[in-house]
Amino acid sequence: MSIRTRFAPSPTGYLHIGGVRTALFNWLLARGQGGQFILRIDDTDDSRNRAEAVKPIIDGFKWLGMTWDEGPADDAGGDSFGPHKPYFQGQRNGKYEAAAMKLMAEGKAYPDYTTPEQQDAARKQAELARKPYVHRGSNRDVSPEENLQQYQARKVPILLKVIPGQKVTFTDHVRGRIDVSTDTIRDPALLRAPDAKGICRALYSFATVVDEADFGITHVVRAEEHLTNTPTQILIFQALGATPPEFGHVPLIYRNGKKISKRDLPPLSPEEIGKLKACGWTEEEIKGRDDLNLATVAYYRELGYLPEALINYLIRLGWSLDGEQEIIPLDVAIKKFSLDRVTKAPGNFDMQKLFWVQGEYMKLLSTEEKLERCIPFLTKAKLIGDVLDAKTRAILTTIVDASGDRIKLFSDILAYAAPILKDDIEYDPKAREKAFKDANAKSLLAEFAEALKAAEPFDAATIDKVMHQFVADRGLKLNAIQLPTRVAVTGVGVGFGLSDTLAILGKERVLNRVAAALKL
RNA sequence: GGCCCGUUCGUCUAGUGGUCAGGACGCCUGGUUCUCAACCAGGCAAUAGGGGUUCGACUCCCCUACGGGUCACCA
């Protein structure tokens, strides 16, 4: 039997970075063994605008290139594809109800008429007695027939009858053997009491188990927070007469030693906001995107990260190939991934290392590939129009080429292209001051402009020669002229090679800009 | 608090009784260099603590500490 894994997010409106890693492990496992990877939407709770909340998740998976073999349709319209559809739990409640009723008929489940007040009281009492509270409901020992009858008359939550005094044992593929006593497992709620529409919706654990069995999931790989309710779910599998799947609980992702969650994440820093604005984002657009923070996939996409870099980083966070390799091509990861090399301890999300991985993947791209993916950022920032003419394209190609490894994120293109593409220069005050601090700087720059005037052809190689000759004649270092010239023609103190910069600008603009700078 | 899980450089990790405890990010120093980036060479830096077991423990066992998860008609 081929393996079937799954990822089952609840539609929150964004794709969480931790979720992606869990999904990735499932995906690698399935792809590595010729199995299937299934996407299921766990929307048993509130049915808030589903389609809209699902879309960011679908989009995220598509961007990352993580394909699913069964699950929601990729237009995020609420349809599903695959032999067990639908793959939205919100659309599968009939199955859960039927399964619960069957369990009740078999005497394995029962309606619980305990009131919340009674439960609270019992809980409090147990607390006072310093004993754990393990909930067992009212009708545990009532006959199935009687229970069915009472339930028809008045619907309340349905609970699974847990048999005390037994052990539940399973071998977790990352954490090893786990066993717990059923004495510590409460009778879990399977179905809720009817909601306003009279529908008794399933609870997470029950819907999950019913679906896992129905879909034929063989390996459940999920976050560690689900470890403790695994025994409960195994009990449900057994009650259903189904074989439990294999389990693997992967550690959580932390940030600064704490679980990375949207709630306690800092809002976008001024720097990040500045970067987005430079990318052409308006204040309103930024405010309207509450899915933009470092815990979401969208954040990395919008900043110009490479999906393969994010994936590589995430794979290495909590898993290793051999302790040596950091850059692991996807095909290698697919071939080599295994749960037994997943770490047990939680890992901290390290933005700096992600950034480094990103840089490594950028080095692999050709100038053409880089340019293609930079273009959307240039368009958004309105540095170029919607259609790219051949001349601008040629200039951009030269810029990307000259920039080399300096473009770490695709959005970085803006910093290198803007000074060249824009007609009016914005002088960075600090760079300007530094460049012209020396009293002779301006007169030297004027002399250099004269030398440049004679450069023919005005290409990088010639300019380079002129530049070196110019400083050599005067017994100076290149630095004497480098910064003043750079600031004069670009307004900023950093950039790619000066001769490239001058050549791309062309003689006329260079001379004009120098002349303008001299008047400052 | 009960139950469960975890703990190797600042961070990600290798390691399964005998290693100078390895690699990577970051950081620092030097080199190269027209700025920046890149590149090259080097450096700093870890087995949470305490008991056992053993000729020998990072590795096995126990305790402590710390961190985390979970205890819902959330997922």
Side-chain angles (χ1 to χ4, degrees):
Chain A
M1 188 169 79
S2 76
I3 91 164
R4 289 168 65 77
T5 65
R6 98 291 92 124
F7 179 62
S10 60
T12 48
Y14 60 95
L15 185 53
H16 193 272
I17 209 82
V20 169
R21 193 193 53 160
T22 305
L24 193 55
F25 287 179
N26 277 284
W27 186 81
L28 290 170
L29 210 54
R31 291 288 171 264
Q33 306 192 22
Q36 291 92 45
F37 173 66
I38 292 137
L39 207 53
R40 186 217 307 148
I41 305 299
D42 280 11
D43 53 354
T44 52
D45 189 14
D46 34 51
S47 24
R48 54 184 150 177
N49 50 354
R50 265 203 278 290
E52 207 173 300
V54 168
K55 192 166 189 312
I57 295 172
I58 302 279
D59 287 347
F61 273 93
K62 278 160 66 174
W63 180 67
L64 290 163
M66 289 168 63
T67 50
W68 57 104
D69 304 301
E70 301 166 25
D74 76 353
D75 63 0
D79 289 334
S80 303
F81 70 96
H84 304 285
K85 70 180 185 182
Y87 290 81
F88 288 81
Q89 291 194 327
Q91 299 169 20
R92 303 175 56 81
N93 209 248
K95 298 211 180 230
Y96 312 140
E97 281 183 304
M101 295 315 288
K102 182 162 174 278
L103 290 178
M104 203 194 293
E106 293 169 354
K108 294 173 179 168
Y110 62 92
D112 181 17
Y113 291 95
T114 315
T115 63
E117 294 73 31
Q118 286 172 317
Q119 272 195 62
D120 285 348
R123 212 187 311 272
K124 221 162 253 170
Q125 204 169 32
E127 208 171 295
L128 261 115
R130 292 175 152 267
K131 289 211 302 217
Y133 177 66
V134 181
H135 183 70
R136 317 247 96 119
S138 66
N139 286 31
R140 269 180 73 90
D141 302 317
V142 176
S143 75
E145 297 73 25
E146 173 70 19
N147 270 158
L148 250 13
Q149 220 167 44
Q150 284 194 32
Y151 187 70
Q152 282 318 317
R154 186 158 76 91
K155 295 189 175 178
V156 287
I158 294 178
L159 268 46
L160 183 79
K161 192 194 285 188
V162 172
I163 315 295
Q166 300 188 335
K167 270 206 173 338
V168 182
T169 304
F170 68 102
T171 303
D172 188 277
H173 280 202
V174 353
R175 325 204 81 91
R177 188 187 169 85
I178 311 261
D179 57 343
V180 300
S181 161
T182 53
D183 294 346
T184 66
I185 302 175
R186 60 155 289 167
D187 285 1
L190 272 20
L191 247 41
R192 294 175 167 92
D195 63 14
K197 290 178 192 155
I199 301 169
C200 301
R201 305 195 81 90
L203 267 335
Y204 166 73
S205 271
F206 190 53
T208 295
V209 170
V210 170
D211 288 345
E212 243 72 286
D214 189 28
F215 294 174
I217 301 299
T218 60
H219 296 252
V220 171
V221 177
R222 65 205 341 180
E224 192 193 335
E225 54 192 329
H226 293 291
L227 185 62
T228 48
N229 56 42
T230 302
T232 301
Q233 292 181 198
I234 288 176
L235 256 18
I236 300 176
F237 273 107
Q238 289 168 348
L240 253 21
T243 311
E246 304 288 317
F247 290 98
H249 288 90
V250 307
L252 297 170
I253 295 181
Y254 286 6
R255 182 170 169 75
N256 303 327
K258 286 171 67 185
K259 179 179 170 182
I260 186 170
S261 74
K262 191 181 173 187
R263 233 186 117 271
D264 45 35
L265 278 175
L268 291 174
S269 68
E271 196 191 12
E272 290 167 326
I273 290 174
K275 184 134 195 183
L276 286 171
K277 280 185 180 164
C279 290
W281 290 68
T282 64
E283 193 88 39
E284 290 69 40
E285 274 179 307
I286 297 170
K287 277 189 190 142
R289 289 286 296 270
D290 68 338
D291 63 331
L292 277 191
N293 68 55
L294 72 211
T296 72
V297 169
Y299 174 85
Y300 299 95
R301 181 178 55 206
E302 300 299 354
L303 248 38
Y305 278 84
L306 235 20
E308 42 273 63
L310 220 207
I311 283 184
N312 192 142
Y313 175 72
L314 254 17
I315 287 174
R316 274 290 288 109
L317 181 56
W319 182 79
S320 65
L321 185 55
D322 55 10
E324 299 283 312
Q325 255 176 278
E326 297 292 341
I327 302 301
I328 304 170
L330 193 55
D331 58 322
V332 175
I334 287 173
K335 203 178 294 172
K336 301 283 182 142
F337 182 80
S338 70
L339 287 175
D340 51 23
R341 285 193 69 82
V342 172
T343 338
K344 292 183 181 67
N348 279 278
F349 189 82
D350 182 354
M351 188 75 85
Q352 284 188 312
K353 185 142 183 185
L354 201 214
F355 191 70
W356 173 76
V357 173
Q358 163 73 12
E360 293 303 299
Y361 274 87
M362 278 304 229
K363 288 178 191 165
L364 266 28
L365 298 187
S366 67
T367 302
E368 273 312 303
E369 288 170 312
K370 263 193 241 178
L371 176 59
E372 275 319 308
R373 304 177 75 154
C374 283
I375 286 173
F377 289 88
L378 292 161
T379 311
K380 171 110 190 166
K382 297 201 163 58
L383 246 32
I384 58 175
D386 289 336
V387 282
L388 193 56
D389 58 274
K391 196 176 147 220
T392 312
R393 190 182 185 90
I395 291 174
L396 286 171
T397 303
T398 316
I399 292 174
V400 170
D401 201 36
S403 300
D405 297 335
R406 275 165 273 243
I407 298 175
K408 302 280 193 199
L409 304 176
F410 290 118
S411 55
D412 288 339
I413 184 63
L414 302 174
Y416 296 104
I420 288 169
L421 263 22
K422 278 189 178 169
D423 281 330
D424 30 45
I425 306 187
E426 292 161 28
Y427 295 96
D428 170 34
K430 271 191 201 144
R432 187 178 135 187
E433 201 206 308
K434 196 174 167 202
F436 300 116
K437 190 175 54 187
D438 191 306
N440 306 326
K442 281 193 179 175
S443 58
L444 199 61
L445 179 58
E447 278 183 62
F448 182 50
E450 283 307 310
L452 246 21
K453 205 178 276 183
E456 204 60 53
F458 202 72
D459 58 24
T462 311
I463 294 168
D464 207 54
K465 248 182 247 167
V466 169
M467 221 158 68
H468 281 276
Q469 190 61 50
F470 181 84
V471 290
D473 288 348
R474 290 163 180 73
L476 296 169
K477 293 261 193 190
L478 214 39
N479 256 339
I481 199 64
Q482 189 272 135
L483 189 64
T485 311
R486 179 183 297 282
V487 173
V489 302
T490 67
V492 291
V494 296
F496 46 81
L498 185 58
S499 39
D500 285 319
T501 305
L502 299 177
I504 294 169
L505 280 166
K507 191 185 282 186
E508 192 187 335
R509 278 200 292 173
V510 167
L511 296 177
N512 287 342
R513 288 184 180 193
V514 168
L518 287 172
K519 288 184 199 140
L520 288 174

